[in-house]
Amino acid sequence: YIVRWRLQNTAAWSVSSAISSNTYTIAGLQPNSTYEWQVAMVCSGNEPSAFTESISVTTACQPPPTPVVSGVSSHSALVSVTTDPTTNYIVYYGRPGSGSYRSYQFPANQTQTGVITSLENNTTYEIFAEHTRSCTAGGSRSPSVNFTTSDCPLPSLVIQPSGSQTVASGEVVSVPISFTSNGPVSLTLSTGDA
């Protein structure tokens, strides 16, 4: 017998050579795609019979690759998912076990890379990728990976003297301030007319 197949709604068929066993494996099918299949008998003189009616089969999705996280700072992280240029993913990230995730969508390209910003410092995040189109079968979600942003808290600001001061136009005011984590810093304010 021989087998022929094609992507649904396309014109060109791929055809096997004559098959003598009861199984036939075809490699290189696109994931999450519907194919039409037909079978014909090989008769005397190597002439095929008419093909059967089409049977539709949908291939499974391949799970997306696990995101790679690098360049983690206190409020951002560089994320990439390596893939072929025809596949696009959305990355979801949030606190592990929270059930609440924010999304980041890459533009379609060979290596989908982007910087996720507005992260909280000293916080662990779970991140995973999903296909941008729905998967009818197979894995639509990558394995998740955790990363932790670095610790960079806001400094404690101490201004002396406390309270407000009235300043005449053109007068320069020197206000001593200190950051508890970095030591004393001097700040000079001007009313703009000097």
Side-chain angles (χ1 to χ4, degrees), residues 47-98:
E47 290 295 318
S49 68
F51 280 92
T52 61
E53 289 188 32
S54 291
I55 298 170
S56 294
V57 176
T58 301
T59 55
C61 283
Q62 297 297 319
T66 302
V68 175
V69 180
S70 61
V72 178
S73 71
S74 59
H75 298 288
S76 65
L78 178 67
V79 179
S80 63
V81 179
T82 303
T83 184
D84 67 81
T86 63
T87 306
N88 202 10
Y89 300 110
I90 297 176
V91 171
Y92 292 93
Y93 60 98
R95 291 187 172 140
S98 71

Side-chain angles (χ1 to χ4, degrees), residues 64-70 72 76-81 90-98 100-106 112 114-117 119 124-130 141-148:
T66 302
V68 175
V69 180
S70 61
V72 178
S76 65
L78 178 67
V79 179
S80 63
V81 179
I90 297 176
V91 171
Y92 292 93
Y93 60 98
R95 291 187 172 140
S98 71
S100 176
Y101 295 95
R102 288 182 268 175
S103 63
Y104 178 85
Q105 186 165 355
F106 297 110
Q112 298 185 49
V115 177
I116 295 174
T117 59
L119 301 175
T124 299
Y125 288 90
E126 174 185 29
I127 188 167
F128 57 89
E130 284 191 353
R141 179 179 164 171
S142 75
S144 63
V145 64
N146 290 352
F147 68 94
T148 302

